[in-house]
Amino acid sequence: DARVTQTPRDKVTEMGQEVTMRCQPILGHNTVFWYRQTMMQGLELLAYFRNRAPLDDSGMPKDRFSAEMPDATLATLKIQPSEPRDSAVYFCASGSGLAGGPYQETQYFGPGTRLLVL
Amino acid sequence: AQSVTQPDIHITVSEGASLELRCNYSYGATPYLFWYVQSPGQGLQLLLKYFSGDTLVQGIKGFEAEFKRSQSSFNLRKPSVHWSDAAEYFCAVATLQGAQKLVFGQGTRLTINP
């Protein structure tokens, strides 16, 4: 059945290194969400794309984070340079875009990328 | 700003017992409300959602939730839990007026005793 895929599933890196996380939304879905989950902050929405265009990235630290959709089948979240406080699980979710607004969507989540920055 | 509160961080119930997970929100207008479940090591899965109409909403896996405007609540219920229901449950609120936002609660971890 159709699923959102994320790679890598786990990533350990050293502070200062660049990290790139990838997401493949469900085929035909035109909305993509990026979330960060930590014990302290819970689930935070970082960015939202519709039809490959970023519509809301207000939750994303702009100085080191960037999100793109090079094409309809790939979304990327990049951290450069990474810091220990970026350690978290990063989820990608996709939606069909049929709802009236982005936040009315039923979101289909990927399994997440667990990031540890040493 | 809108907020979502799940008062119970951790709940333990026996298999076969009934379950109610609480969710309260703070928002001036009628929100869109969701319940998601997260199994260990997995992403979130939608259980049910409320937009309008009947305030008692049926979802997957035998769950239901009731929207109570007077109490600003959207509690999740299940009459008889199964061991496979052990997971983390998240309530979420979407606001559609002004600056649109989607806010998740901190989650409630459910443990099932055999």
Side-chain angles (χ1 to χ4, degrees), chain A residues 9 35 37 40-43 56 58 91 102-107 109-111, chain B residues 32 34 36 38 41 43-44 46 49 51 90 94 96 100-102 104 106:
Chain A
R9 291 295 309 272
Y35 291 90
Q37 185 178 39
M40 293 300 297
Q41 300 296 326
L43 200 62
D56 183 359
S58 59
F91 288 104
Y103 301 119
Q104 299 164 256
E105 296 264 19
T106 293
Q107 298 181 38
F109 281 75
Chain B
Y32 280 45
F34 306 82
Y36 282 87
Q38 183 179 26
L44 281 70
L46 180 70
K49 59 186 177 184
F51 289 171
F90 293 90
L96 304 177
Q100 296 189 15
K101 286 293 178 187
L102 177 64
F104 282 81
Q106 285 292 95

PDB file of all heavy atoms in Angstrom, chain A residues 9 35 37 40-43 56 58 91 102-107 109-111, chain B residues 32 34 36 38 41 43-44 46 49 51 90 94 96 100-102 104 106:
ATOM      1  N   ARG A   9      16.855   6.382   8.068  1.00  0.00           N
ATOM      2  CA  ARG A   9      16.032   6.168   9.257  1.00  0.00           C
ATOM      3  C   ARG A   9      16.761   6.641  10.508  1.00  0.00           C
ATOM      4  O   ARG A   9      16.147   7.126  11.456  1.00  0.00           O
ATOM      5  CB  ARG A   9      15.675   4.694   9.384  1.00  0.00           C
ATOM      6  CG  ARG A   9      14.713   4.182   8.334  1.00  0.00           C
ATOM      7  CD  ARG A   9      13.323   4.854   8.441  1.00  0.00           C
ATOM      8  NE  ARG A   9      12.787   4.814   9.780  1.00  0.00           N
ATOM      9  CZ  ARG A   9      12.063   3.820  10.267  1.00  0.00           C
ATOM     10  NH1 ARG A   9      11.802   2.765   9.530  1.00  0.00           N
ATOM     11  NH2 ARG A   9      11.587   3.876  11.506  1.00  0.00           N
ATOM     12  N   TYR A  35       8.041  17.886  10.266  1.00  0.00           N
ATOM     13  CA  TYR A  35       7.884  18.056  11.700  1.00  0.00           C
ATOM     14  C   TYR A  35       9.169  17.643  12.414  1.00  0.00           C
ATOM     15  O   TYR A  35       9.941  16.824  11.930  1.00  0.00           O
ATOM     16  CB  TYR A  35       6.757  17.157  12.243  1.00  0.00           C
ATOM     17  CG  TYR A  35       5.375  17.534  11.829  1.00  0.00           C
ATOM     18  CD1 TYR A  35       4.812  17.004  10.673  1.00  0.00           C
ATOM     19  CD2 TYR A  35       4.615  18.406  12.600  1.00  0.00           C
ATOM     20  CE1 TYR A  35       3.522  17.328  10.297  1.00  0.00           C
ATOM     21  CE2 TYR A  35       3.317  18.741  12.232  1.00  0.00           C
ATOM     22  CZ  TYR A  35       2.782  18.194  11.081  1.00  0.00           C
ATOM     23  OH  TYR A  35       1.511  18.523  10.706  1.00  0.00           O
ATOM     24  N   GLN A  37      10.208  16.204  16.325  1.00  0.00           N
ATOM     25  CA  GLN A  37       9.655  15.717  17.590  1.00  0.00           C
ATOM     26  C   GLN A  37      10.771  15.531  18.599  1.00  0.00           C
ATOM     27  O   GLN A  37      11.745  14.813  18.355  1.00  0.00           O
ATOM     28  CB  GLN A  37       8.915  14.385  17.381  1.00  0.00           C
ATOM     29  CG  GLN A  37       8.201  13.883  18.626  1.00  0.00           C
ATOM     30  CD  GLN A  37       7.450  12.584  18.369  1.00  0.00           C
ATOM     31  OE1 GLN A  37       7.918  11.695  17.664  1.00  0.00           O
ATOM     32  NE2 GLN A  37       6.251  12.475  18.937  1.00  0.00           N
ATOM     33  N   MET A  40      11.160  17.388  24.875  1.00  0.00           N
ATOM     34  CA  MET A  40      10.882  18.657  25.546  1.00  0.00           C
ATOM     35  C   MET A  40       9.800  19.470  24.829  1.00  0.00           C
ATOM     36  O   MET A  40       8.914  20.033  25.458  1.00  0.00           O
ATOM     37  CB  MET A  40      12.161  19.493  25.638  1.00  0.00           C
ATOM     38  CG  MET A  40      13.212  18.903  26.555  1.00  0.00           C
ATOM     39  SD  MET A  40      12.614  18.732  28.245  1.00  0.00           S
ATOM     40  CE  MET A  40      12.330  20.445  28.682  1.00  0.00           C
ATOM     41  N   GLN A  41       9.869  19.518  23.515  1.00  0.00           N
ATOM     42  CA  GLN A  41       8.974  20.390  22.752  1.00  0.00           C
ATOM     43  C   GLN A  41       7.801  19.655  22.117  1.00  0.00           C
ATOM     44  O   GLN A  41       6.876  20.293  21.602  1.00  0.00           O
ATOM     45  CB  GLN A  41       9.760  21.117  21.652  1.00  0.00           C
ATOM     46  CG  GLN A  41      10.888  21.996  22.176  1.00  0.00           C
ATOM     47  CD  GLN A  41      10.377  23.128  23.026  1.00  0.00           C
ATOM     48  OE1 GLN A  41       9.303  23.666  22.792  1.00  0.00           O
ATOM     49  NE2 GLN A  41      11.126  23.496  24.041  1.00  0.00           N
ATOM     50  N   GLY A  42       7.846  18.348  22.130  1.00  0.00           N
ATOM     51  CA  GLY A  42       6.783  17.599  21.480  1.00  0.00           C
ATOM     52  C   GLY A  42       6.914  17.667  19.975  1.00  0.00           C
ATOM     53  O   GLY A  42       8.016  17.740  19.432  1.00  0.00           O
ATOM     54  N   LEU A  43       5.783  17.706  19.290  1.00  0.00           N
ATOM     55  CA  LEU A  43       5.760  17.706  17.830  1.00  0.00           C
ATOM     56  C   LEU A  43       5.597  19.131  17.334  1.00  0.00           C
ATOM     57  O   LEU A  43       4.603  19.792  17.624  1.00  0.00           O
ATOM     58  CB  LEU A  43       4.604  16.843  17.365  1.00  0.00           C
ATOM     59  CG  LEU A  43       4.632  16.301  15.943  1.00  0.00           C
ATOM     60  CD1 LEU A  43       5.829  15.400  15.731  1.00  0.00           C
ATOM     61  CD2 LEU A  43       3.346  15.547  15.646  1.00  0.00           C
ATOM     62  N   ASP A  56       4.507  27.779   4.213  1.00  0.00           N
ATOM     63  CA  ASP A  56       4.666  28.165   5.612  1.00  0.00           C
ATOM     64  C   ASP A  56       5.909  27.485   6.155  1.00  0.00           C
ATOM     65  O   ASP A  56       5.943  26.278   6.302  1.00  0.00           O
ATOM     66  CB  ASP A  56       3.442  27.753   6.429  1.00  0.00           C
ATOM     67  CG  ASP A  56       3.529  28.207   7.890  1.00  0.00           C
ATOM     68  OD1 ASP A  56       4.548  28.823   8.271  1.00  0.00           O
ATOM     69  OD2 ASP A  56       2.576  27.955   8.643  1.00  0.00           O
ATOM     70  N   SER A  58       7.439  29.072   8.891  1.00  0.00           N
ATOM     71  CA  SER A  58       7.647  29.934  10.054  1.00  0.00           C
ATOM     72  C   SER A  58       8.175  29.173  11.260  1.00  0.00           C
ATOM     73  O   SER A  58       8.749  29.760  12.161  1.00  0.00           O
ATOM     74  CB  SER A  58       6.343  30.647  10.420  1.00  0.00           C
ATOM     75  OG  SER A  58       5.320  29.701  10.707  1.00  0.00           O
ATOM     76  N   PHE A  91       9.937  14.083  11.120  1.00  0.00           N
ATOM     77  CA  PHE A  91       8.894  13.395  10.360  1.00  0.00           C
ATOM     78  C   PHE A  91       8.514  14.208   9.133  1.00  0.00           C
ATOM     79  O   PHE A  91       8.427  15.436   9.174  1.00  0.00           O
ATOM     80  CB  PHE A  91       7.644  13.198  11.216  1.00  0.00           C
ATOM     81  CG  PHE A  91       7.782  12.175  12.288  1.00  0.00           C
ATOM     82  CD1 PHE A  91       7.957  12.555  13.607  1.00  0.00           C
ATOM     83  CD2 PHE A  91       7.722  10.823  11.985  1.00  0.00           C
ATOM     84  CE1 PHE A  91       8.087  11.617  14.608  1.00  0.00           C
ATOM     85  CE2 PHE A  91       7.844   9.874  12.980  1.00  0.00           C
ATOM     86  CZ  PHE A  91       8.031  10.272  14.295  1.00  0.00           C
ATOM     87  N   PRO A 102      -4.589  23.911   4.235  1.00  0.00           N
ATOM     88  CA  PRO A 102      -3.516  22.954   4.535  1.00  0.00           C
ATOM     89  C   PRO A 102      -3.723  22.232   5.846  1.00  0.00           C
ATOM     90  O   PRO A 102      -3.390  21.043   5.963  1.00  0.00           O
ATOM     91  CB  PRO A 102      -2.269  23.834   4.567  1.00  0.00           C
ATOM     92  CG  PRO A 102      -2.764  25.217   4.826  1.00  0.00           C
ATOM     93  CD  PRO A 102      -4.106  25.289   4.163  1.00  0.00           C
ATOM     94  N   TYR A 103      -4.260  22.910   6.814  1.00  0.00           N
ATOM     95  CA  TYR A 103      -4.319  22.308   8.134  1.00  0.00           C
ATOM     96  C   TYR A 103      -5.599  21.528   8.365  1.00  0.00           C
ATOM     97  O   TYR A 103      -5.839  21.040   9.459  1.00  0.00           O
ATOM     98  CB  TYR A 103      -4.076  23.379   9.192  1.00  0.00           C
ATOM     99  CG  TYR A 103      -2.735  24.036   8.984  1.00  0.00           C
ATOM    100  CD1 TYR A 103      -2.633  25.393   8.714  1.00  0.00           C
ATOM    101  CD2 TYR A 103      -1.563  23.281   8.960  1.00  0.00           C
ATOM    102  CE1 TYR A 103      -1.410  25.986   8.480  1.00  0.00           C
ATOM    103  CE2 TYR A 103      -0.330  23.871   8.719  1.00  0.00           C
ATOM    104  CZ  TYR A 103      -0.258  25.223   8.489  1.00  0.00           C
ATOM    105  OH  TYR A 103       0.959  25.806   8.241  1.00  0.00           O
ATOM    106  N   GLN A 104      -6.385  21.389   7.314  1.00  0.00           N
ATOM    107  CA  GLN A 104      -7.542  20.498   7.380  1.00  0.00           C
ATOM    108  C   GLN A 104      -7.202  19.136   6.804  1.00  0.00           C
ATOM    109  O   GLN A 104      -8.005  18.225   6.858  1.00  0.00           O
ATOM    110  CB  GLN A 104      -8.705  21.081   6.581  1.00  0.00           C
ATOM    111  CG  GLN A 104      -9.184  22.417   7.075  1.00  0.00           C
ATOM    112  CD  GLN A 104     -10.045  23.098   6.024  1.00  0.00           C
ATOM    113  OE1 GLN A 104      -9.617  24.022   5.348  1.00  0.00           O
ATOM    114  NE2 GLN A 104     -11.270  22.622   5.882  1.00  0.00           N
ATOM    115  N   GLU A 105      -5.993  19.037   6.263  1.00  0.00           N
ATOM    116  CA  GLU A 105      -5.585  17.806   5.599  1.00  0.00           C
ATOM    117  C   GLU A 105      -5.528  16.627   6.545  1.00  0.00           C
ATOM    118  O   GLU A 105      -5.124  16.766   7.702  1.00  0.00           O
ATOM    119  CB  GLU A 105      -4.162  17.973   5.049  1.00  0.00           C
ATOM    120  CG  GLU A 105      -4.004  19.004   3.987  1.00  0.00           C
ATOM    121  CD  GLU A 105      -4.076  18.383   2.620  1.00  0.00           C
ATOM    122  OE1 GLU A 105      -4.593  17.272   2.482  1.00  0.00           O
ATOM    123  OE2 GLU A 105      -3.608  19.029   1.677  1.00  0.00           O
ATOM    124  N   THR A 106      -5.861  15.461   6.037  1.00  0.00           N
ATOM    125  CA  THR A 106      -5.448  14.234   6.698  1.00  0.00           C
ATOM    126  C   THR A 106      -4.016  14.007   6.274  1.00  0.00           C
ATOM    127  O   THR A 106      -3.718  13.934   5.083  1.00  0.00           O
ATOM    128  CB  THR A 106      -6.327  13.055   6.262  1.00  0.00           C
ATOM    129  OG1 THR A 106      -7.645  13.257   6.747  1.00  0.00           O
ATOM    130  CG2 THR A 106      -5.767  11.750   6.831  1.00  0.00           C
ATOM    131  N   GLN A 107      -3.142  13.919   7.235  1.00  0.00           N
ATOM    132  CA  GLN A 107      -1.727  13.784   6.935  1.00  0.00           C
ATOM    133  C   GLN A 107      -1.275  12.342   7.119  1.00  0.00           C
ATOM    134  O   GLN A 107      -1.637  11.685   8.090  1.00  0.00           O
ATOM    135  CB  GLN A 107      -0.916  14.700   7.846  1.00  0.00           C
ATOM    136  CG  GLN A 107      -1.257  16.174   7.645  1.00  0.00           C
ATOM    137  CD  GLN A 107      -0.445  17.083   8.521  1.00  0.00           C
ATOM    138  OE1 GLN A 107       0.741  16.845   8.752  1.00  0.00           O
ATOM    139  NE2 GLN A 107      -1.060  18.139   9.013  1.00  0.00           N
ATOM    140  N   PHE A 109       1.919  10.115   7.665  1.00  0.00           N
ATOM    141  CA  PHE A 109       3.271  10.308   8.171  1.00  0.00           C
ATOM    142  C   PHE A 109       4.212   9.199   7.727  1.00  0.00           C
ATOM    143  O   PHE A 109       3.831   8.025   7.656  1.00  0.00           O
ATOM    144  CB  PHE A 109       3.260  10.343   9.704  1.00  0.00           C
ATOM    145  CG  PHE A 109       2.810  11.656  10.274  1.00  0.00           C
ATOM    146  CD1 PHE A 109       1.470  12.011  10.262  1.00  0.00           C
ATOM    147  CD2 PHE A 109       3.720  12.538  10.839  1.00  0.00           C
ATOM    148  CE1 PHE A 109       1.042  13.223  10.791  1.00  0.00           C
ATOM    149  CE2 PHE A 109       3.310  13.746  11.375  1.00  0.00           C
ATOM    150  CZ  PHE A 109       1.970  14.085  11.349  1.00  0.00           C
ATOM    151  N   GLY A 110       5.456   9.598   7.486  1.00  0.00           N
ATOM    152  CA  GLY A 110       6.513   8.628   7.295  1.00  0.00           C
ATOM    153  C   GLY A 110       7.016   8.118   8.637  1.00  0.00           C
ATOM    154  O   GLY A 110       6.576   8.581   9.688  1.00  0.00           O
ATOM    155  N   PRO A 111       7.965   7.179   8.611  1.00  0.00           N
ATOM    156  CA  PRO A 111       8.462   6.571   9.855  1.00  0.00           C
ATOM    157  C   PRO A 111       9.433   7.449  10.627  1.00  0.00           C
ATOM    158  O   PRO A 111       9.773   7.143  11.760  1.00  0.00           O
ATOM    159  CB  PRO A 111       9.154   5.299   9.363  1.00  0.00           C
ATOM    160  CG  PRO A 111       9.583   5.636   7.977  1.00  0.00           C
ATOM    161  CD  PRO A 111       8.538   6.549   7.427  1.00  0.00           C
TER     162      PRO A 111
ATOM    163  N   TYR B  32     -10.705  22.860  13.914  1.00  0.00           N
ATOM    164  CA  TYR B  32     -10.704  21.521  13.357  1.00  0.00           C
ATOM    165  C   TYR B  32      -9.880  20.666  14.324  1.00  0.00           C
ATOM    166  O   TYR B  32      -8.799  21.066  14.742  1.00  0.00           O
ATOM    167  CB  TYR B  32     -10.051  21.512  11.971  1.00  0.00           C
ATOM    168  CG  TYR B  32     -10.963  21.990  10.870  1.00  0.00           C
ATOM    169  CD1 TYR B  32     -11.751  23.125  11.034  1.00  0.00           C
ATOM    170  CD2 TYR B  32     -11.037  21.315   9.665  1.00  0.00           C
ATOM    171  CE1 TYR B  32     -12.589  23.568  10.013  1.00  0.00           C
ATOM    172  CE2 TYR B  32     -11.866  21.747   8.638  1.00  0.00           C
ATOM    173  CZ  TYR B  32     -12.643  22.874   8.821  1.00  0.00           C
ATOM    174  OH  TYR B  32     -13.470  23.308   7.828  1.00  0.00           O
ATOM    175  N   PHE B  34      -8.292  16.849  15.641  1.00  0.00           N
ATOM    176  CA  PHE B  34      -7.766  15.566  15.183  1.00  0.00           C
ATOM    177  C   PHE B  34      -7.256  14.766  16.378  1.00  0.00           C
ATOM    178  O   PHE B  34      -6.788  15.317  17.372  1.00  0.00           O
ATOM    179  CB  PHE B  34      -6.567  15.761  14.241  1.00  0.00           C
ATOM    180  CG  PHE B  34      -6.815  16.655  13.056  1.00  0.00           C
ATOM    181  CD1 PHE B  34      -6.751  18.029  13.173  1.00  0.00           C
ATOM    182  CD2 PHE B  34      -7.075  16.108  11.810  1.00  0.00           C
ATOM    183  CE1 PHE B  34      -6.949  18.861  12.077  1.00  0.00           C
ATOM    184  CE2 PHE B  34      -7.271  16.924  10.702  1.00  0.00           C
ATOM    185  CZ  PHE B  34      -7.211  18.291  10.834  1.00  0.00           C
ATOM    186  N   TYR B  36      -4.420  11.616  16.595  1.00  0.00           N
ATOM    187  CA  TYR B  36      -3.452  10.751  15.912  1.00  0.00           C
ATOM    188  C   TYR B  36      -2.883   9.762  16.918  1.00  0.00           C
ATOM    189  O   TYR B  36      -2.775  10.058  18.119  1.00  0.00           O
ATOM    190  CB  TYR B  36      -2.294  11.572  15.338  1.00  0.00           C
ATOM    191  CG  TYR B  36      -2.591  12.310  14.048  1.00  0.00           C
ATOM    192  CD1 TYR B  36      -3.151  13.585  14.062  1.00  0.00           C
ATOM    193  CD2 TYR B  36      -2.285  11.745  12.809  1.00  0.00           C
ATOM    194  CE1 TYR B  36      -3.404  14.269  12.880  1.00  0.00           C
ATOM    195  CE2 TYR B  36      -2.530  12.423  11.621  1.00  0.00           C
ATOM    196  CZ  TYR B  36      -3.083  13.686  11.670  1.00  0.00           C
ATOM    197  OH  TYR B  36      -3.323  14.362  10.492  1.00  0.00           O
ATOM    198  N   GLN B  38       0.550   7.168  17.583  1.00  0.00           N
ATOM    199  CA  GLN B  38       1.927   6.875  17.186  1.00  0.00           C
ATOM    200  C   GLN B  38       2.386   5.613  17.895  1.00  0.00           C
ATOM    201  O   GLN B  38       2.550   5.607  19.126  1.00  0.00           O
ATOM    202  CB  GLN B  38       2.850   8.040  17.527  1.00  0.00           C
ATOM    203  CG  GLN B  38       4.282   7.835  17.071  1.00  0.00           C
ATOM    204  CD  GLN B  38       5.178   9.013  17.411  1.00  0.00           C
ATOM    205  OE1 GLN B  38       4.921   9.767  18.353  1.00  0.00           O
ATOM    206  NE2 GLN B  38       6.233   9.205  16.633  1.00  0.00           N
ATOM    207  N   GLY B  41       8.402   3.796  17.383  1.00  0.00           N
ATOM    208  CA  GLY B  41       9.254   3.788  16.208  1.00  0.00           C
ATOM    209  C   GLY B  41       8.554   4.078  14.906  1.00  0.00           C
ATOM    210  O   GLY B  41       9.149   3.937  13.836  1.00  0.00           O
ATOM    211  N   GLY B  43       5.618   6.603  12.522  1.00  0.00           N
ATOM    212  CA  GLY B  43       5.011   7.917  12.372  1.00  0.00           C
ATOM    213  C   GLY B  43       3.603   7.931  12.924  1.00  0.00           C
ATOM    214  O   GLY B  43       3.097   6.927  13.426  1.00  0.00           O
ATOM    215  N   LEU B  44       2.964   9.074  12.825  1.00  0.00           N
ATOM    216  CA  LEU B  44       1.607   9.222  13.340  1.00  0.00           C
ATOM    217  C   LEU B  44       0.586   8.730  12.318  1.00  0.00           C
ATOM    218  O   LEU B  44       0.779   8.837  11.113  1.00  0.00           O
ATOM    219  CB  LEU B  44       1.320  10.686  13.674  1.00  0.00           C
ATOM    220  CG  LEU B  44       1.870  11.211  14.993  1.00  0.00           C
ATOM    221  CD1 LEU B  44       3.378  11.324  14.976  1.00  0.00           C
ATOM    222  CD2 LEU B  44       1.245  12.562  15.333  1.00  0.00           C
ATOM    223  N   LEU B  46      -3.677   8.915  11.541  1.00  0.00           N
ATOM    224  CA  LEU B  46      -4.920   9.577  11.911  1.00  0.00           C
ATOM    225  C   LEU B  46      -5.938   8.563  12.414  1.00  0.00           C
ATOM    226  O   LEU B  46      -6.215   7.555  11.760  1.00  0.00           O
ATOM    227  CB  LEU B  46      -5.500  10.319  10.707  1.00  0.00           C
ATOM    228  CG  LEU B  46      -6.809  11.063  10.969  1.00  0.00           C
ATOM    229  CD1 LEU B  46      -6.562  12.274  11.866  1.00  0.00           C
ATOM    230  CD2 LEU B  46      -7.453  11.495   9.655  1.00  0.00           C
ATOM    231  N   LYS B  49     -11.208  12.683  12.981  1.00  0.00           N
ATOM    232  CA  LYS B  49     -11.155  14.136  12.919  1.00  0.00           C
ATOM    233  C   LYS B  49     -12.572  14.703  13.004  1.00  0.00           C
ATOM    234  O   LYS B  49     -13.545  14.032  12.638  1.00  0.00           O
ATOM    235  CB  LYS B  49     -10.463  14.606  11.655  1.00  0.00           C
ATOM    236  CG  LYS B  49     -11.127  14.141  10.376  1.00  0.00           C
ATOM    237  CD  LYS B  49     -10.282  14.523   9.169  1.00  0.00           C
ATOM    238  CE  LYS B  49     -10.908  13.990   7.880  1.00  0.00           C
ATOM    239  NZ  LYS B  49     -10.047  14.271   6.692  1.00  0.00           N
ATOM    240  N   PHE B  51     -14.712  18.246  11.967  1.00  0.00           N
ATOM    241  CA  PHE B  51     -14.756  19.558  11.326  1.00  0.00           C
ATOM    242  C   PHE B  51     -16.052  20.281  11.654  1.00  0.00           C
ATOM    243  O   PHE B  51     -16.058  21.463  11.963  1.00  0.00           O
ATOM    244  CB  PHE B  51     -14.620  19.418   9.808  1.00  0.00           C
ATOM    245  CG  PHE B  51     -13.247  19.002   9.361  1.00  0.00           C
ATOM    246  CD1 PHE B  51     -13.025  18.646   8.039  1.00  0.00           C
ATOM    247  CD2 PHE B  51     -12.170  18.952  10.223  1.00  0.00           C
ATOM    248  CE1 PHE B  51     -11.756  18.270   7.605  1.00  0.00           C
ATOM    249  CE2 PHE B  51     -10.908  18.570   9.812  1.00  0.00           C
ATOM    250  CZ  PHE B  51     -10.706  18.227   8.487  1.00  0.00           C
ATOM    251  N   PHE B  90      -1.958  11.605  20.222  1.00  0.00           N
ATOM    252  CA  PHE B  90      -1.820  13.049  20.103  1.00  0.00           C
ATOM    253  C   PHE B  90      -3.131  13.670  19.639  1.00  0.00           C
ATOM    254  O   PHE B  90      -3.721  13.242  18.651  1.00  0.00           O
ATOM    255  CB  PHE B  90      -0.732  13.407  19.089  1.00  0.00           C
ATOM    256  CG  PHE B  90       0.656  13.028  19.520  1.00  0.00           C
ATOM    257  CD1 PHE B  90       1.177  11.787  19.202  1.00  0.00           C
ATOM    258  CD2 PHE B  90       1.432  13.927  20.249  1.00  0.00           C
ATOM    259  CE1 PHE B  90       2.460  11.435  19.605  1.00  0.00           C
ATOM    260  CE2 PHE B  90       2.719  13.583  20.654  1.00  0.00           C
ATOM    261  CZ  PHE B  90       3.228  12.332  20.331  1.00  0.00           C
ATOM    262  N   ALA B  94      -6.441  22.537  14.486  1.00  0.00           N
ATOM    263  CA  ALA B  94      -6.132  23.393  13.348  1.00  0.00           C
ATOM    264  C   ALA B  94      -7.037  24.607  13.385  1.00  0.00           C
ATOM    265  O   ALA B  94      -8.240  24.494  13.637  1.00  0.00           O
ATOM    266  CB  ALA B  94      -6.335  22.635  12.042  1.00  0.00           C
ATOM    267  N   LEU B  96      -8.380  28.014  11.349  1.00  0.00           N
ATOM    268  CA  LEU B  96      -8.546  28.393   9.951  1.00  0.00           C
ATOM    269  C   LEU B  96      -8.851  29.869   9.768  1.00  0.00           C
ATOM    270  O   LEU B  96      -9.105  30.317   8.660  1.00  0.00           O
ATOM    271  CB  LEU B  96      -9.677  27.577   9.331  1.00  0.00           C
ATOM    272  CG  LEU B  96      -9.482  26.066   9.461  1.00  0.00           C
ATOM    273  CD1 LEU B  96     -10.663  25.338   8.894  1.00  0.00           C
ATOM    274  CD2 LEU B  96      -8.205  25.619   8.768  1.00  0.00           C
ATOM    275  N   GLN B 100      -3.300  30.761   9.955  1.00  0.00           N
ATOM    276  CA  GLN B 100      -3.649  29.354  10.085  1.00  0.00           C
ATOM    277  C   GLN B 100      -2.512  28.589  10.736  1.00  0.00           C
ATOM    278  O   GLN B 100      -1.348  28.770  10.394  1.00  0.00           O
ATOM    279  CB  GLN B 100      -3.959  28.769   8.711  1.00  0.00           C
ATOM    280  CG  GLN B 100      -5.166  29.405   8.065  1.00  0.00           C
ATOM    281  CD  GLN B 100      -5.591  28.667   6.816  1.00  0.00           C
ATOM    282  OE1 GLN B 100      -5.175  27.549   6.565  1.00  0.00           O
ATOM    283  NE2 GLN B 100      -6.436  29.302   6.022  1.00  0.00           N
ATOM    284  N   LYS B 101      -2.869  27.743  11.661  1.00  0.00           N
ATOM    285  CA  LYS B 101      -1.877  26.972  12.389  1.00  0.00           C
ATOM    286  C   LYS B 101      -2.401  25.590  12.686  1.00  0.00           C
ATOM    287  O   LYS B 101      -3.617  25.351  12.748  1.00  0.00           O
ATOM    288  CB  LYS B 101      -1.540  27.659  13.735  1.00  0.00           C
ATOM    289  CG  LYS B 101      -0.685  28.901  13.618  1.00  0.00           C
ATOM    290  CD  LYS B 101       0.704  28.571  13.128  1.00  0.00           C
ATOM    291  CE  LYS B 101       1.537  29.821  12.978  1.00  0.00           C
ATOM    292  NZ  LYS B 101       2.852  29.536  12.341  1.00  0.00           N
ATOM    293  N   LEU B 102      -1.482  24.681  12.882  1.00  0.00           N
ATOM    294  CA  LEU B 102      -1.803  23.343  13.354  1.00  0.00           C
ATOM    295  C   LEU B 102      -0.933  23.102  14.575  1.00  0.00           C
ATOM    296  O   LEU B 102       0.292  23.190  14.497  1.00  0.00           O
ATOM    297  CB  LEU B 102      -1.507  22.309  12.273  1.00  0.00           C
ATOM    298  CG  LEU B 102      -1.734  20.846  12.660  1.00  0.00           C
ATOM    299  CD1 LEU B 102      -3.208  20.601  12.955  1.00  0.00           C
ATOM    300  CD2 LEU B 102      -1.258  19.916  11.563  1.00  0.00           C
ATOM    301  N   PHE B 104      -0.133  20.573  17.934  1.00  0.00           N
ATOM    302  CA  PHE B 104      -0.287  19.263  18.554  1.00  0.00           C
ATOM    303  C   PHE B 104      -0.153  19.381  20.066  1.00  0.00           C
ATOM    304  O   PHE B 104       0.625  20.193  20.585  1.00  0.00           O
ATOM    305  CB  PHE B 104       0.782  18.293  18.043  1.00  0.00           C
ATOM    306  CG  PHE B 104       0.502  17.735  16.679  1.00  0.00           C
ATOM    307  CD1 PHE B 104       0.805  18.468  15.542  1.00  0.00           C
ATOM    308  CD2 PHE B 104      -0.058  16.479  16.529  1.00  0.00           C
ATOM    309  CE1 PHE B 104       0.556  17.960  14.281  1.00  0.00           C
ATOM    310  CE2 PHE B 104      -0.311  15.958  15.271  1.00  0.00           C
ATOM    311  CZ  PHE B 104      -0.002  16.708  14.146  1.00  0.00           C
ATOM    312  N   GLN B 106       0.937  17.543  23.744  1.00  0.00           N
ATOM    313  CA  GLN B 106       2.191  16.899  24.129  1.00  0.00           C
ATOM    314  C   GLN B 106       2.103  15.378  24.079  1.00  0.00           C
ATOM    315  O   GLN B 106       3.126  14.704  24.185  1.00  0.00           O
ATOM    316  CB  GLN B 106       2.583  17.341  25.534  1.00  0.00           C
ATOM    317  CG  GLN B 106       3.123  18.743  25.601  1.00  0.00           C
ATOM    318  CD  GLN B 106       4.477  18.877  24.914  1.00  0.00           C
ATOM    319  OE1 GLN B 106       4.583  19.246  23.749  1.00  0.00           O
ATOM    320  NE2 GLN B 106       5.539  18.570  25.631  1.00  0.00           N
TER     321      GLN B 106
END
